[in-house]
Amino acid sequence: MHSATRNLKHPPSYTGKNNSLSEISDDNVTMPEQLKILIVDDRPQNLIALTAVLASANYTLVTASSGEEALRYLLREDFAVILLDVQMPDLDGFETARLIKARQKSKHIPIVFITAASQASEHVQKGFEVGAVDYIFKPFSPDTLRLKVEALVKMSVNHQYVRHLVEARTAQLKSINQKLRDEIAELQKLAESFHALFDVSPCLMAIRSLDDGRFIEVNQSWLNYTGFEYQEVIGQTDDVINITFSYENERVYPEFATLSRRCSNIRVNYTTKTGEKRDGILSTELAELDRRRYLLLVITDISQQIKLEREVTRLERFHLIGEMAAGIAHEIRNPMTSIRGFLQLSKEKGRLSPEHIDLMLDELDRANRIITEFLTLAKDKRVERRSVCINEIIDALYPLIQAEAFMKSKTIKLALSECPLLELDDKEIRQLILNLAVNGLEAMDKGGVLEISTIAEDGYVILAVKDSGYGIDEELLDKICVPFFTTKDCGTGLGLPICYSIAARHDAIMDIDTSGNGTTFSVRFPCESKLDKLYEGKRT
């Protein structure tokens, strides 16, 4: 018996070209490391002769003296070729071959029958019927036998290789099929979850085809809000509810008009079946399925919120008008009462002293000043701008503010940084700075420090007036900008509202930062480049 080991992962006659199984990697195929040939003959001398002729380093020869012994070998091992004698006692070659071919694991093994030449006519047909692939006739030529066996071994190797490839491919396909089944089951769960959420969502939701512009599916909220029936929407275009993309009901976005692109949180108006115009917030998402494009539309109806906001705004305006009217009446009634009293006194006594006339003039001036300050609140008041440096305005006011602070035993500190020129109405900016400075001084006790600073930052010039007082109570923050609201005994309540109006007329933003350590009023003036962009945005 001879044996040898060789690598059969690349058999010489198998290239894998033009074969669907070539997609499987060789690393996935396990082949036996040793090839074995089973020789079955009941005559020992025949076994010796066959072994001597077929001895090779490429395979191992295994001999069996009967069909039963051969079958026992086949239960334990795998063979590349079986050389089987026809005439054997008990279990002949034909029956042995039939049993080998009936077994699933061994039916692929090529069987070569060995028989005498004189018996060829009666054995050949029967041998092929039971599964033989070839015959060797005694006496045989050693070279012919050797070549036949080598050819059969190569064929067996290729067959086994293909069989293992098929098994590996089958196992791979089973694994892929199982994964696909799992993924399909998961997708079905996701689809069921999506449909459940889609159907019960309080938002109006619809799926629309981008290929022909028709609605594929809508949820119940869509039908409830629009008043349409399901069959009236499905298969129709977006003209059904006439969705208009707008921004604060003023500007239409034509690029969205066909509902064909992704958008997020865009104000829209849509029309119901009865012709009612409603407001909503629209978001869309693009999707592609089976090479078709779809658009998911989600509309949050805000009609009720808009209605409530408008009502609240209307009531707030009435409330503000009432407060302003009460303030004006209170502030102007006082000087008018004084003047009326002096005139009554003059009527009774026939004359007024110069002191009385001066008091009446003062009261008239006070009433005129209140009216002038009130008119300063107007947003459309004309401003005369010119290029000025805000630091120069502060430097010019500094002696006046410093004198006011000195009289109240307080300190003024300037922290001015280099700033670009701004387009300002210097008279109004003077009033703004004086109002903020006087408010800051009045908010501090003796020894307090008021800091006025400027800084250029991100296209803005920031003016900040910071006091070291006790801060502003949180409940008063929403009221301090209301005209005629004041916490001072002699105040008119117009100082801060005027400051806000001046800031608005200069496209500036005014902020308040307050705490127990003091309050800072900051005004952000846009530089010329930033101002051009703001105006350009407003024009578009």
Side-chain angles (χ1 to χ4, degrees), residues 339-377:
I339 294 172
R340 187 180 187 281
F342 285 122
L343 290 175
Q344 185 69 29
L345 180 62
S346 173
K347 180 180 179 181
E348 294 175 356
K349 295 186 177 182
R351 65 183 182 82
L352 289 175
S353 67
E355 291 82 5
H356 291 161
I357 294 175
D358 289 339
L359 287 173
M360 291 173 64
L361 291 174
D362 289 340
E363 292 298 322
L364 288 173
D365 290 341
R366 181 186 175 194
N368 183 64
R369 185 170 62 253
I370 292 172
I371 294 173
T372 302
E373 289 182 346
F374 182 70
L375 292 176
T376 305
L377 296 174

mmCIF file of all heavy atoms in Angstrom, residues 339-377:
data_model
loop_
_atom_site.group_PDB
_atom_site.id
_atom_site.type_symbol
_atom_site.label_atom_id
_atom_site.label_comp_id
_atom_site.label_asym_id
_atom_site.label_seq_id
_atom_site.Cartn_x
_atom_site.Cartn_y
_atom_site.Cartn_z
ATOM 1 N N ILE A 339 -52.183 125.230 35.657
ATOM 2 C CA ILE A 339 -52.488 126.400 34.829
ATOM 3 C C ILE A 339 -53.927 126.853 35.065
ATOM 4 O O ILE A 339 -54.230 128.063 35.183
ATOM 5 C CB ILE A 339 -52.255 126.060 33.343
ATOM 6 C CG1 ILE A 339 -50.763 125.796 33.098
ATOM 7 C CG2 ILE A 339 -52.751 127.190 32.442
ATOM 8 C CD1 ILE A 339 -50.453 125.268 31.731
ATOM 9 N N ARG A 340 -54.854 125.876 35.137
ATOM 10 C CA ARG A 340 -56.258 126.224 35.365
ATOM 11 C C ARG A 340 -56.424 126.927 36.716
ATOM 12 O O ARG A 340 -57.194 127.890 36.858
ATOM 13 C CB ARG A 340 -57.112 124.958 35.311
ATOM 14 C CG ARG A 340 -58.620 125.248 35.370
ATOM 15 C CD ARG A 340 -59.408 123.962 35.311
ATOM 16 N NE ARG A 340 -60.818 124.223 35.214
ATOM 17 C CZ ARG A 340 -61.622 124.572 36.226
ATOM 18 N NH1 ARG A 340 -61.110 124.756 37.441
ATOM 19 N NH2 ARG A 340 -62.909 124.796 36.045
ATOM 20 N N GLY A 341 -55.694 126.479 37.731
ATOM 21 C CA GLY A 341 -55.786 127.103 39.046
ATOM 22 C C GLY A 341 -55.314 128.537 39.030
ATOM 23 O O GLY A 341 -55.962 129.434 39.623
ATOM 24 N N PHE A 342 -54.191 128.778 38.365
ATOM 25 C CA PHE A 342 -53.680 130.149 38.300
ATOM 26 C C PHE A 342 -54.620 131.047 37.488
ATOM 27 O O PHE A 342 -54.814 132.219 37.815
ATOM 28 C CB PHE A 342 -52.276 130.157 37.695
ATOM 29 C CG PHE A 342 -51.224 129.665 38.650
ATOM 30 C CD1 PHE A 342 -50.414 128.580 38.334
ATOM 31 C CD2 PHE A 342 -51.025 130.309 39.873
ATOM 32 C CE1 PHE A 342 -49.448 128.136 39.221
ATOM 33 C CE2 PHE A 342 -50.054 129.873 40.751
ATOM 34 C CZ PHE A 342 -49.263 128.773 40.429
ATOM 35 N N LEU A 343 -55.182 130.502 36.401
ATOM 36 C CA LEU A 343 -56.122 131.307 35.622
ATOM 37 C C LEU A 343 -57.372 131.627 36.442
ATOM 38 O O LEU A 343 -57.928 132.741 36.354
ATOM 39 C CB LEU A 343 -56.512 130.560 34.339
ATOM 40 C CG LEU A 343 -55.402 130.422 33.286
ATOM 41 C CD1 LEU A 343 -55.858 129.566 32.117
ATOM 42 C CD2 LEU A 343 -54.966 131.806 32.794
ATOM 43 N N GLN A 344 -57.825 130.646 37.245
ATOM 44 C CA GLN A 344 -58.977 130.890 38.106
ATOM 45 C C GLN A 344 -58.658 131.973 39.130
ATOM 46 O O GLN A 344 -59.468 132.871 39.414
ATOM 47 C CB GLN A 344 -59.376 129.602 38.815
ATOM 48 C CG GLN A 344 -60.640 129.704 39.654
ATOM 49 C CD GLN A 344 -61.893 129.878 38.807
ATOM 50 O OE1 GLN A 344 -61.946 129.413 37.681
ATOM 51 N NE2 GLN A 344 -62.889 130.602 39.343
ATOM 52 N N LEU A 345 -57.418 131.902 39.683
ATOM 53 C CA LEU A 345 -56.981 132.907 40.649
ATOM 54 C C LEU A 345 -56.920 134.284 40.004
ATOM 55 O O LEU A 345 -57.299 135.300 40.603
ATOM 56 C CB LEU A 345 -55.613 132.514 41.202
ATOM 57 C CG LEU A 345 -54.990 133.454 42.246
ATOM 58 C CD1 LEU A 345 -55.868 133.530 43.503
ATOM 59 C CD2 LEU A 345 -53.584 132.970 42.619
ATOM 60 N N SER A 346 -56.425 134.330 38.741
ATOM 61 C CA SER A 346 -56.348 135.604 38.029
ATOM 62 C C SER A 346 -57.734 136.172 37.778
ATOM 63 O O SER A 346 -57.957 137.381 37.860
ATOM 64 C CB SER A 346 -55.626 135.405 36.697
ATOM 65 O OG SER A 346 -55.669 136.586 35.922
ATOM 66 N N LYS A 347 -58.697 135.282 37.488
ATOM 67 C CA LYS A 347 -60.061 135.731 37.252
ATOM 68 C C LYS A 347 -60.658 136.359 38.503
ATOM 69 O O LYS A 347 -61.373 137.373 38.437
ATOM 70 C CB LYS A 347 -60.900 134.549 36.782
ATOM 71 C CG LYS A 347 -62.353 134.919 36.498
ATOM 72 C CD LYS A 347 -63.129 133.704 36.026
ATOM 73 C CE LYS A 347 -64.584 134.063 35.766
ATOM 74 N NZ LYS A 347 -65.376 132.890 35.324
ATOM 75 N N GLU A 348 -60.352 135.768 39.635
ATOM 76 C CA GLU A 348 -60.927 136.249 40.883
ATOM 77 C C GLU A 348 -60.243 137.528 41.338
ATOM 78 O O GLU A 348 -60.897 138.465 41.816
ATOM 79 C CB GLU A 348 -60.819 135.186 41.958
ATOM 80 C CG GLU A 348 -61.672 133.956 41.666
ATOM 81 C CD GLU A 348 -61.457 132.857 42.690
ATOM 82 O OE1 GLU A 348 -60.583 133.049 43.566
ATOM 83 O OE2 GLU A 348 -62.138 131.816 42.607
ATOM 84 N N LYS A 349 -58.888 137.585 41.202
ATOM 85 C CA LYS A 349 -58.140 138.743 41.714
ATOM 86 C C LYS A 349 -57.845 139.772 40.630
ATOM 87 O O LYS A 349 -57.359 140.869 40.936
ATOM 88 C CB LYS A 349 -56.841 138.281 42.360
ATOM 89 C CG LYS A 349 -57.092 137.430 43.599
ATOM 90 C CD LYS A 349 -55.779 137.107 44.291
ATOM 91 C CE LYS A 349 -56.003 136.314 45.588
ATOM 92 N NZ LYS A 349 -54.744 136.032 46.280
ATOM 93 N N GLY A 350 -58.047 139.400 39.393
ATOM 94 C CA GLY A 350 -57.873 140.364 38.316
ATOM 95 C C GLY A 350 -56.466 140.457 37.790
ATOM 96 O O GLY A 350 -56.234 141.121 36.783
ATOM 97 N N ARG A 351 -55.494 139.849 38.379
ATOM 98 C CA ARG A 351 -54.117 139.932 37.870
ATOM 99 C C ARG A 351 -53.298 138.742 38.383
ATOM 100 O O ARG A 351 -53.691 138.067 39.339
ATOM 101 C CB ARG A 351 -53.456 141.235 38.308
ATOM 102 C CG ARG A 351 -53.267 141.363 39.790
ATOM 103 C CD ARG A 351 -52.657 142.720 40.145
ATOM 104 N NE ARG A 351 -52.425 142.839 41.565
ATOM 105 C CZ ARG A 351 -51.356 142.353 42.197
ATOM 106 N NH1 ARG A 351 -50.413 141.720 41.515
ATOM 107 N NH2 ARG A 351 -51.206 142.508 43.509
ATOM 108 N N LEU A 352 -52.155 138.518 37.705
ATOM 109 C CA LEU A 352 -51.215 137.451 38.096
ATOM 110 C C LEU A 352 -49.853 138.088 38.321
ATOM 111 O O LEU A 352 -49.439 138.988 37.586
ATOM 112 C CB LEU A 352 -51.093 136.380 37.023
ATOM 113 C CG LEU A 352 -52.298 135.453 36.819
ATOM 114 C CD1 LEU A 352 -52.044 134.531 35.642
ATOM 115 C CD2 LEU A 352 -52.569 134.643 38.078
ATOM 116 N N SER A 353 -49.187 137.589 39.332
ATOM 117 C CA SER A 353 -47.821 138.061 39.592
ATOM 118 C C SER A 353 -46.869 137.408 38.602
ATOM 119 O O SER A 353 -47.174 136.369 38.016
ATOM 120 C CB SER A 353 -47.417 137.694 41.030
ATOM 121 O OG SER A 353 -47.315 136.272 41.157
ATOM 122 N N PRO A 354 -45.715 138.032 38.373
ATOM 123 C CA PRO A 354 -44.718 137.416 37.481
ATOM 124 C C PRO A 354 -44.354 136.001 37.924
ATOM 125 O O PRO A 354 -44.068 135.138 37.089
ATOM 126 C CB PRO A 354 -43.533 138.378 37.586
ATOM 127 C CG PRO A 354 -44.155 139.691 37.940
ATOM 128 C CD PRO A 354 -45.295 139.375 38.838
ATOM 129 N N GLU A 355 -44.321 135.761 39.230
ATOM 130 C CA GLU A 355 -43.980 134.409 39.708
ATOM 131 C C GLU A 355 -45.030 133.400 39.260
ATOM 132 O O GLU A 355 -44.712 132.275 38.854
ATOM 133 C CB GLU A 355 -43.887 134.401 41.236
ATOM 134 C CG GLU A 355 -42.713 135.168 41.798
ATOM 135 C CD GLU A 355 -43.012 136.668 41.886
ATOM 136 O OE1 GLU A 355 -44.177 137.062 41.591
ATOM 137 O OE2 GLU A 355 -42.089 137.432 42.204
ATOM 138 N N HIS A 356 -46.304 133.822 39.335
ATOM 139 C CA HIS A 356 -47.368 132.914 38.884
ATOM 140 C C HIS A 356 -47.276 132.644 37.386
ATOM 141 O O HIS A 356 -47.482 131.516 36.921
ATOM 142 C CB HIS A 356 -48.735 133.509 39.224
ATOM 143 C CG HIS A 356 -49.005 133.542 40.694
ATOM 144 N ND1 HIS A 356 -49.984 134.364 41.269
ATOM 145 C CD2 HIS A 356 -48.406 132.879 41.738
ATOM 146 C CE1 HIS A 356 -49.978 134.180 42.588
ATOM 147 N NE2 HIS A 356 -49.022 133.298 42.882
ATOM 148 N N ILE A 357 -46.961 133.647 36.633
ATOM 149 C CA ILE A 357 -46.831 133.474 35.170
ATOM 150 C C ILE A 357 -45.676 132.536 34.851
ATOM 151 O O ILE A 357 -45.770 131.660 33.976
ATOM 152 C CB ILE A 357 -46.650 134.840 34.493
ATOM 153 C CG1 ILE A 357 -47.928 135.676 34.655
ATOM 154 C CG2 ILE A 357 -46.316 134.664 33.009
ATOM 155 C CD1 ILE A 357 -47.810 137.099 34.134
ATOM 156 N N ASP A 358 -44.540 132.701 35.582
ATOM 157 C CA ASP A 358 -43.399 131.816 35.355
ATOM 158 C C ASP A 358 -43.768 130.355 35.648
ATOM 159 O O ASP A 358 -43.362 129.427 34.935
ATOM 160 C CB ASP A 358 -42.218 132.248 36.236
ATOM 161 C CG ASP A 358 -41.602 133.555 35.769
ATOM 162 O OD1 ASP A 358 -41.812 133.904 34.575
ATOM 163 O OD2 ASP A 358 -40.919 134.210 36.572
ATOM 164 N N LEU A 359 -44.529 130.142 36.743
ATOM 165 C CA LEU A 359 -44.953 128.779 37.062
ATOM 166 C C LEU A 359 -45.847 128.208 35.960
ATOM 167 O O LEU A 359 -45.718 127.028 35.577
ATOM 168 C CB LEU A 359 -45.701 128.760 38.395
ATOM 169 C CG LEU A 359 -44.845 128.949 39.658
ATOM 170 C CD1 LEU A 359 -45.730 129.072 40.889
ATOM 171 C CD2 LEU A 359 -43.873 127.780 39.820
ATOM 172 N N MET A 360 -46.739 129.040 35.450
ATOM 173 C CA MET A 360 -47.606 128.567 34.376
ATOM 174 C C MET A 360 -46.804 128.215 33.116
ATOM 175 O O MET A 360 -47.065 127.206 32.443
ATOM 176 C CB MET A 360 -48.649 129.641 34.053
ATOM 177 C CG MET A 360 -49.682 129.852 35.156
ATOM 178 S SD MET A 360 -50.770 131.260 34.833
ATOM 179 C CE MET A 360 -51.592 130.702 33.355
ATOM 180 N N LEU A 361 -45.808 129.051 32.800
ATOM 181 C CA LEU A 361 -44.952 128.767 31.651
ATOM 182 C C LEU A 361 -44.170 127.475 31.846
ATOM 183 O O LEU A 361 -43.990 126.679 30.901
ATOM 184 C CB LEU A 361 -43.997 129.945 31.405
ATOM 185 C CG LEU A 361 -44.646 131.232 30.905
ATOM 186 C CD1 LEU A 361 -43.612 132.363 30.837
ATOM 187 C CD2 LEU A 361 -45.276 131.016 29.525
ATOM 188 N N ASP A 362 -43.697 127.248 33.077
ATOM 189 C CA ASP A 362 -42.978 125.995 33.371
ATOM 190 C C ASP A 362 -43.878 124.782 33.164
ATOM 191 O O ASP A 362 -43.463 123.748 32.621
ATOM 192 C CB ASP A 362 -42.436 126.023 34.804
ATOM 193 C CG ASP A 362 -41.280 126.985 34.978
ATOM 194 O OD1 ASP A 362 -40.664 127.339 33.948
ATOM 195 O OD2 ASP A 362 -40.979 127.358 36.133
ATOM 196 N N GLU A 363 -45.121 124.918 33.622
ATOM 197 C CA GLU A 363 -46.051 123.796 33.461
ATOM 198 C C GLU A 363 -46.360 123.545 31.985
ATOM 199 O O GLU A 363 -46.470 122.398 31.538
ATOM 200 C CB GLU A 363 -47.339 124.079 34.231
ATOM 201 C CG GLU A 363 -47.186 124.087 35.748
ATOM 202 C CD GLU A 363 -46.727 122.753 36.294
ATOM 203 O OE1 GLU A 363 -47.170 121.706 35.768
ATOM 204 O OE2 GLU A 363 -45.883 122.738 37.212
ATOM 205 N N LEU A 364 -46.512 124.619 31.220
ATOM 206 C CA LEU A 364 -46.736 124.453 29.790
ATOM 207 C C LEU A 364 -45.535 123.805 29.104
ATOM 208 O O LEU A 364 -45.676 122.959 28.214
ATOM 209 C CB LEU A 364 -47.046 125.813 29.144
ATOM 210 C CG LEU A 364 -48.417 126.398 29.464
ATOM 211 C CD1 LEU A 364 -48.529 127.823 28.909
ATOM 212 C CD2 LEU A 364 -49.523 125.522 28.880
ATOM 213 N N ASP A 365 -44.333 124.239 29.514
ATOM 214 C CA ASP A 365 -43.111 123.617 28.964
ATOM 215 C C ASP A 365 -43.047 122.132 29.299
ATOM 216 O O ASP A 365 -42.621 121.310 28.484
ATOM 217 C CB ASP A 365 -41.874 124.344 29.500
ATOM 218 C CG ASP A 365 -41.726 125.740 28.922
ATOM 219 O OD1 ASP A 365 -42.346 125.998 27.865
ATOM 220 O OD2 ASP A 365 -41.009 126.558 29.533
ATOM 221 N N ARG A 366 -43.459 121.820 30.538
ATOM 222 C CA ARG A 366 -43.432 120.412 30.933
ATOM 223 C C ARG A 366 -44.397 119.599 30.075
ATOM 224 O O ARG A 366 -44.056 118.501 29.604
ATOM 225 C CB ARG A 366 -43.799 120.288 32.404
ATOM 226 C CG ARG A 366 -43.775 118.839 32.898
ATOM 227 C CD ARG A 366 -44.281 118.742 34.327
ATOM 228 N NE ARG A 366 -44.372 117.349 34.754
ATOM 229 C CZ ARG A 366 -45.019 116.924 35.829
ATOM 230 N NH1 ARG A 366 -45.650 117.824 36.590
ATOM 231 N NH2 ARG A 366 -45.050 115.658 36.142
ATOM 232 N N ALA A 367 -45.613 120.106 29.854
ATOM 233 C CA ALA A 367 -46.576 119.400 29.011
ATOM 234 C C ALA A 367 -46.050 119.254 27.588
ATOM 235 O O ALA A 367 -46.187 118.194 26.951
ATOM 236 C CB ALA A 367 -47.908 120.143 29.006
ATOM 237 N N ASN A 368 -45.424 120.321 27.080
ATOM 238 C CA ASN A 368 -44.860 120.270 25.733
ATOM 239 C C ASN A 368 -43.731 119.256 25.651
ATOM 240 O O ASN A 368 -43.575 118.538 24.653
ATOM 241 C CB ASN A 368 -44.370 121.666 25.334
ATOM 242 C CG ASN A 368 -43.829 121.673 23.910
ATOM 243 O OD1 ASN A 368 -44.570 121.442 22.957
ATOM 244 N ND2 ASN A 368 -42.538 121.945 23.777
ATOM 245 N N ARG A 369 -42.911 119.191 26.716
ATOM 246 C CA ARG A 369 -41.799 118.233 26.732
ATOM 247 C C ARG A 369 -42.312 116.790 26.721
ATOM 248 O O ARG A 369 -41.763 115.915 26.042
ATOM 249 C CB ARG A 369 -40.922 118.485 27.964
ATOM 250 C CG ARG A 369 -39.672 117.601 27.983
ATOM 251 C CD ARG A 369 -38.705 118.054 29.081
ATOM 252 N NE ARG A 369 -39.304 117.944 30.406
ATOM 253 C CZ ARG A 369 -39.716 118.977 31.135
ATOM 254 N NH1 ARG A 369 -39.609 120.218 30.643
ATOM 255 N NH2 ARG A 369 -40.255 118.815 32.343
ATOM 256 N N ILE A 370 -43.372 116.540 27.488
ATOM 257 C CA ILE A 370 -43.944 115.191 27.522
ATOM 258 C C ILE A 370 -44.454 114.804 26.134
ATOM 259 O O ILE A 370 -44.220 113.679 25.652
ATOM 260 C CB ILE A 370 -45.072 115.112 28.566
ATOM 261 C CG1 ILE A 370 -44.488 115.244 29.976
ATOM 262 C CG2 ILE A 370 -45.852 113.798 28.429
ATOM 263 C CD1 ILE A 370 -45.547 115.374 31.055
ATOM 264 N N ILE A 371 -45.164 115.747 25.478
ATOM 265 C CA ILE A 371 -45.675 115.453 24.137
ATOM 266 C C ILE A 371 -44.536 115.230 23.154
ATOM 267 O O ILE A 371 -44.578 114.334 22.303
ATOM 268 C CB ILE A 371 -46.591 116.606 23.668
ATOM 269 C CG1 ILE A 371 -47.838 116.658 24.556
ATOM 270 C CG2 ILE A 371 -46.984 116.427 22.209
ATOM 271 C CD1 ILE A 371 -48.715 117.869 24.290
ATOM 272 N N THR A 372 -43.466 116.038 23.265
ATOM 273 C CA THR A 372 -42.310 115.885 22.370
ATOM 274 C C THR A 372 -41.647 114.527 22.558
ATOM 275 O O THR A 372 -41.301 113.836 21.588
ATOM 276 C CB THR A 372 -41.291 117.006 22.626
ATOM 277 O OG1 THR A 372 -41.931 118.271 22.416
ATOM 278 C CG2 THR A 372 -40.101 116.880 21.693
ATOM 279 N N GLU A 373 -41.462 114.147 23.849
ATOM 280 C CA GLU A 373 -40.842 112.846 24.114
ATOM 281 C C GLU A 373 -41.727 111.708 23.611
ATOM 282 O O GLU A 373 -41.246 110.695 23.100
ATOM 283 C CB GLU A 373 -40.572 112.694 25.605
ATOM 284 C CG GLU A 373 -39.450 113.580 26.114
ATOM 285 C CD GLU A 373 -39.177 113.357 27.589
ATOM 286 O OE1 GLU A 373 -40.015 112.717 28.259
ATOM 287 O OE2 GLU A 373 -38.121 113.815 28.066
ATOM 288 N N PHE A 374 -43.030 111.871 23.756
ATOM 289 C CA PHE A 374 -43.940 110.828 23.286
ATOM 290 C C PHE A 374 -43.832 110.676 21.769
ATOM 291 O O PHE A 374 -43.844 109.561 21.238
ATOM 292 C CB PHE A 374 -45.368 111.182 23.693
ATOM 293 C CG PHE A 374 -46.371 110.148 23.291
ATOM 294 C CD1 PHE A 374 -46.408 108.906 23.905
ATOM 295 C CD2 PHE A 374 -47.285 110.404 22.284
ATOM 296 C CE1 PHE A 374 -47.322 107.956 23.526
ATOM 297 C CE2 PHE A 374 -48.212 109.455 21.906
ATOM 298 C CZ PHE A 374 -48.232 108.223 22.529
ATOM 299 N N LEU A 375 -43.735 111.811 21.059
ATOM 300 C CA LEU A 375 -43.603 111.753 19.602
ATOM 301 C C LEU A 375 -42.272 111.131 19.191
ATOM 302 O O LEU A 375 -42.143 110.599 18.086
ATOM 303 C CB LEU A 375 -43.733 113.157 19.002
ATOM 304 C CG LEU A 375 -45.126 113.798 19.110
ATOM 305 C CD1 LEU A 375 -45.103 115.214 18.576
ATOM 306 C CD2 LEU A 375 -46.162 112.956 18.365
ATOM 307 N N THR A 376 -41.276 111.203 20.086
ATOM 308 C CA THR A 376 -39.980 110.601 19.786
ATOM 309 C C THR A 376 -40.078 109.084 19.653
ATOM 310 O O THR A 376 -39.233 108.437 19.028
ATOM 311 C CB THR A 376 -38.956 110.950 20.893
ATOM 312 O OG1 THR A 376 -38.910 112.365 21.042
ATOM 313 C CG2 THR A 376 -37.566 110.446 20.547
ATOM 314 N N LEU A 377 -41.140 108.511 20.217
ATOM 315 C CA LEU A 377 -41.317 107.059 20.145
ATOM 316 C C LEU A 377 -41.696 106.615 18.745
ATOM 317 O O LEU A 377 -41.622 105.411 18.434
ATOM 318 C CB LEU A 377 -42.419 106.608 21.130
ATOM 319 C CG LEU A 377 -42.141 106.826 22.619
ATOM 320 C CD1 LEU A 377 -43.372 106.475 23.422
ATOM 321 C CD2 LEU A 377 -40.958 105.994 23.065
#
